Amino acid sequence: MTSNRLADQVAYDPNHLLDSLIERLHLKNDAALSRALEVAPPVISKIRHRRLPVGASLLIRMHEVSDLSIRDLRILMGDRRDKFRISDKQFKPKEGGVATEPQE
């Protein structure tokens, strides 16, 4: 059984991304990185321990402060997918929902 979750992929390594940003921005540690990204220090810790994924807004912020492309940032964290697609199921109404009659 294989998993499609990014966190389960063998190559996924958010630590490499964080360490690369620290080096590129000439920072000393995770606390300095959290200040540069304007996030709370526990966010960086949770990403390092894979309890929190690198979300879109944080990825954009990383792009803004580092001038690395989103693609380059994704490669640094081991995300080798060509495209990220949102499931069609997220946009469909739930089955068995209550339909209401139009009011006359």
Side-chain angles (χ1 to χ4, degrees):
M1 182 168 114
T2 60
S3 174
N4 290 331
R5 288 185 48 218
L6 181 60
D8 293 338
Q9 293 179 11
V10 175
Y12 177 69
D13 185 9
N15 292 320
H16 185 252
L17 170 64
L18 298 174
D19 292 339
S20 296
L21 285 172
I22 288 171
E23 183 179 332
R24 181 175 179 89
L25 299 173
H26 307 289
L27 302 172
K28 290 186 177 186
N29 53 33
D30 286 353
L33 180 60
S34 70
R35 286 190 295 274
L37 296 174
E38 299 177 0
V39 298
V43 170
I44 302 299
S45 177
K46 288 177 183 178
I47 290 171
R48 280 212 185 268
H49 293 95
R50 298 184 185 199
R51 290 192 305 262
L52 184 70
V54 177
S57 60
L58 185 56
L59 200 60
I60 290 169
R61 185 69 184 134
M62 289 174 174
H63 160 69
E64 291 171 344
V65 300
S66 70
D67 287 328
L68 289 169
S69 70
I70 299 294
R71 170 178 239 125
D72 289 343
L73 292 167
R74 289 177 58 215
I75 288 169
L76 283 172
M77 76 174 154
D79 185 356
R80 303 284 192 248
R81 299 173 294 180
D82 288 334
K83 293 182 179 179
F84 179 77
R85 298 176 191 242
I86 297 174
S87 170
D88 291 342
K89 293 177 183 176
Q90 291 178 321
F91 299 107
K92 291 182 180 177
K94 291 183 179 181
E95 296 283 330
V98 178
T100 58
E101 293 292 322
Q103 299 292 325
E104 292 184 21

